[in-house]
Amino acid sequence: MRSKPETQSLTAATEPLSSTSMDPIFHLLRILPFGFLRPPKLRLKLPNLTLPSPMTVYALVLLTYFMVVSGIVYDVIVEPPGIGSTQDRATGSVRPVVFLPGRVNGQYIVEGLSSGFMFVLGGVGVVLMDLALDRNRAKSVKVSYATAGIASVVIAYVMSMLFIRIKIPAYLR
């Protein structure tokens, strides 16, 4: 006997609201405006979108990475100068300064761009070393990729450490 009330409640729950409603105004509003209206026959064509090539996606990702690590958002918000200047104590002449020494949370525009370039150079070096592991390439091409990749990573590392030592004079000493 318990199964009958359960089945009645299940059928009541699965039926649409319009068939169980006793309100005549609801039925009138449901039928009257939409009974004679028909949707128009549209001859719309979907646009033919093609996916970009993998190298295009890679270039966009690399450009986005460069902009993020270069501090473009910081440069837009704070509007620092492109390069700074300092006066030489001995001669009194003014000379340009690319790195903002002593301030880790601040940068000149050229400093951010050069640091971002070094990070991207290291990333490209890792990609070149990965391409050197491909079995379908000629040995000379593999050696060229490996050499260029290792050189890129080493140059990026050495220059980034030099930038940090200029920025923070007593770093790792």
Side-chain angles (χ1 to χ4, degrees):
M1 287 233 216
R2 290 188 179 205
S3 63
K4 191 170 185 178
E6 289 175 5
T7 57
Q8 286 177 353
S9 64
L10 285 175
T11 57
T14 58
E15 288 180 11
L17 184 64
S18 61
S19 64
T20 60
S21 176
M22 299 297 273
D23 190 11
I25 296 176
F26 177 75
H27 287 294
L28 241 164
L29 287 176
R30 186 168 175 235
I31 295 171
L32 184 64
F34 304 111
F36 61 89
L37 293 176
R38 300 282 180 243
K41 294 180 182 179
L42 300 175
R43 293 181 195 98
L44 297 176
K45 293 181 181 178
L46 292 175
N48 188 10
L49 297 176
T50 59
L51 292 176
S53 69
M55 283 309 292
T56 305
V57 173
Y58 176 71
L60 288 174
V61 168
L62 199 63
L63 179 68
T64 305
Y65 176 71
F66 172 73
M67 290 175 58
V68 167
V69 298
S70 294
I72 298 292
V73 175
Y74 173 83
D75 292 341
V76 168
I77 292 172
V78 178
E79 296 179 2
I83 58 172
S85 61
T86 185
Q87 189 171 10
D88 192 8
R89 293 183 185 181
T91 62
S93 64
V94 177
R95 41 181 213 140
V97 176
V98 176
F99 290 93
L100 186 62
R103 283 196 53 206
V104 181
N105 295 335
Q107 72 178 18
Y108 294 127
I109 294 174
V110 174
E111 174 186 354
L113 293 176
S114 59
S115 298
F117 177 74
M118 288 303 139
F119 293 147
V120 169
L121 182 66
V124 168
V126 171
V127 170
L128 287 173
M129 287 190 293
D130 181 58
L131 289 174
L133 295 175
D134 190 11
R135 294 178 189 222
N136 297 329
R137 297 193 194 277
K139 185 168 179 150
S140 62
V141 175
K142 288 164 112 179
V143 169
S144 299
Y145 279 161
T147 304
I150 291 170
S152 297
V153 169
V154 168
I155 289 170
Y157 176 76
V158 169
M159 292 302 291
S160 295
M161 292 308 289
L162 178 68
F163 292 170
I164 289 175
R165 286 197 180 110
I166 293 170
K167 188 92 169 149
I168 309 166
Y171 183 70
L172 291 178
R173 289 186 194 193

